[in-house]
Amino acid sequence: MDPYDDLLRGIRGEGAVFGASVLSPPWALRFADGPSLTLVAPLRGEGWIVQGDDARRVGLGEAAIVRGPEPFVFADTATPRPARDVRCDGAVAGDLTGHTILLAGSYRVNGEVARRLVRVLPPVLVVPDDHDCVTMAPYLEAQLLSGRPGHQIVLDRLLDWLLVCTLRDWFDRPEAVSPGWYAALSDDVAGPALRAIHDDPSRPWTLASLATAASVSRTTLARRFTELVGEPPMTYLTEWRMALAADMLAEPAATVATVARRVGYSDAFGFSSAFKRVLGVSPSAYRDGADTGDTG
């Protein structure tokens, strides 16, 4: 297991397809339903993502991810005319024999774990048509057009795959500002320690035991981990545990004591102090906010 797997585990698209082929110019579609992430992939044709004063072209075979909740427009020009609102709601619009098919998936990211990924993304990212994911485009189009029983579920899962593939390819590009942990995964020193933390976050890790997992000295691990990840190993461990705990507190039967034990704290008071230090509120207050949907 690694941080990338964990961060993406809870992100799923449901009924997240908007298909259109009747978009002969001039056309403009306004995505205004405020998801955390929107995946945009033209299977035929091309368009422009316009968000505020920014405009990014997305061509055939390319994929783009827009970070919400701000609305954006996908249009045939960089200076679109008034747009009509659309939703990623599973609708397939128009006669799909035309020259443009747009595949879009909306992802409402709930939980502190997934938000750690969203926070490092730019407002709009575009992965060129040389990315690894482009080979699936013909199959995606075939599924969109098929109308076979269960094709919506197939499309949802394919969109999930395309989102993961696009993000991975983006992080590998030289222009991407990747989070420190992403680069650290391939490092011989920091990588094993990161995986150990994510494999078993509740284990009573110390700097010494993490250094043993990485087969290096404590000094070497502390220096290299901090250099690549941007924070010391034990600080990263605490913040990761608190992110996991925050998501656990949203579970209906969760108590502060049980969550504390699940993330490696035998003392609920010590856990509560760490949680408030990292997230700014007590576990009880966070849980109450999760019950009302007010956790940010």
Side-chain angles (χ1 to χ4, degrees):
M1 192 66 65
D2 63 45
Y4 192 69
D5 294 329
D6 281 336
L7 291 170
L8 286 166
R9 188 172 302 280
I11 299 178
R12 292 287 185 271
E14 295 182 5
V17 179
F18 174 81
S21 64
V22 289
L23 299 176
S24 54
W27 54 266
L29 307 175
R30 185 173 185 268
F31 291 80
D33 49 350
S36 304
L37 297 174
T38 302
L39 173 70
V40 176
L43 299 181
R44 298 183 196 170
E46 63 180 35
W48 290 79
I49 291 174
V50 182
Q51 191 177 54
D53 296 329
D54 242 2
R56 298 286 302 275
R57 178 185 171 277
V58 186
L60 179 65
E62 297 182 332
I65 294 174
V66 184
R67 191 186 70 206
E70 292 78 12
F72 69 94
V73 171
F74 189 79
D76 62 314
T77 71
T79 54
R81 298 161 181 81
R84 63 182 176 91
D85 286 353
V86 296
R87 294 178 62 85
C88 292
D89 59 2
V92 179
D95 172 16
L96 293 178
T97 59
H99 73 280
T100 299
I101 294 179
L102 170 65
L103 203 60
S106 63
Y107 295 81
R108 295 187 181 278
V109 176
N110 297 312
E112 190 60 29
V113 168
R115 290 190 193 109
R116 285 167 68 95
L117 174 67
V118 174
R119 283 195 288 263
V120 304
L121 298 178
V124 180
L125 64 88
V126 179
V127 177
D129 59 4
D130 60 352
H131 61 96
D132 291 341
C133 325
V134 72
T135 56
M136 281 295 289
Y139 185 68
L140 282 164
E141 182 177 337
Q143 289 300 312
L144 182 62
L145 297 173
S146 73
R148 295 175 59 191
H151 83 287
Q152 180 62 60
I153 298 298
V154 173
L155 282 167
D156 287 342
R157 299 293 77 83
L158 287 172
L159 281 168
D160 292 343
W161 174 86
L162 185 57
L163 175 77
V164 173
C165 187
T166 301
L167 285 172
R168 185 182 59 191
D169 280 6
W170 164 255
F171 285 143
D172 284 340
R173 299 194 68 82
E175 69 268 26
V177 180
S178 302
W181 53 260
Y182 190 81
L185 283 172
S186 58
D187 184 72
D188 292 340
V189 174
L194 267 173
R195 288 188 198 51
I197 288 170
H198 282 261
D199 283 344
D200 192 3
S202 64
R203 183 172 171 176
W205 291 110
T206 63
L207 182 60
S209 60
L210 285 173
T212 298
S215 302
V216 295
S217 70
R218 288 177 295 173
T219 302
T220 299
L221 174 63
R223 182 179 65 249
R224 187 64 175 163
F225 194 103
T226 304
E227 176 186 318
L228 291 177
V229 179
E231 57 190 0
M234 301 309 291
T235 301
Y236 181 92
L237 171 64
T238 299
E239 292 184 353
W240 178 240
R241 284 174 167 173
M242 296 309 109
L244 292 172
D247 289 357
M248 292 174 189
L249 287 166
E251 299 169 4
T255 67
V256 172
T258 58
V259 170
R261 288 193 294 272
R262 289 171 66 185
V263 295
Y265 285 78
S266 57
D267 176 11
F269 179 77
F271 163 71
S272 296
S273 297
F275 191 95
K276 187 170 185 178
R277 184 174 70 251
V278 173
L279 293 178
V281 296
S282 69
S284 297
Y286 189 95
R287 183 189 55 201
D288 294 343
D291 291 341
T292 61
D294 185 23
T295 58

